[in-house]
Amino acid sequence: RLLCENAEILIVVGTSLNVYPAAGLVYDVNPTTEIIVIDPGDPLVPEGIQNVRYIRKPATEGMQVLFDELMA
């Protein structure tokens, strides 16, 4: 929990925020923390959660997309 509270970016891979415990992590971050969800499914953004960006790809492809973006 403490790691999430201090995170600049939270990356959630392989869940569309429907499955716990990963779904609960979005409630532990600072409101300014960027949340990136990598999952090919339809997203379920919990009410009141902001700064969520979805990469709608399987984990292996989505992680490569994110890696390329972060390294650019």
Side-chain angles (χ1 to χ4, degrees), residues 20-37:
Y20 282 83
L25 295 175
V26 298
Y27 295 105
D28 294 333
V29 298
N30 186 303
T32 60
T33 299
E34 180 181 11
I35 301 169
I36 301 170
V37 178

Side-chain angles (χ1 to χ4, degrees), residues 4-21:
C4 289
E5 291 173 358
N6 295 315
E8 293 179 32
I9 300 172
L10 174 67
I11 302 168
V12 181
V13 181
T15 179
S16 57
L17 298 180
N18 291 315
V19 179
Y20 282 83

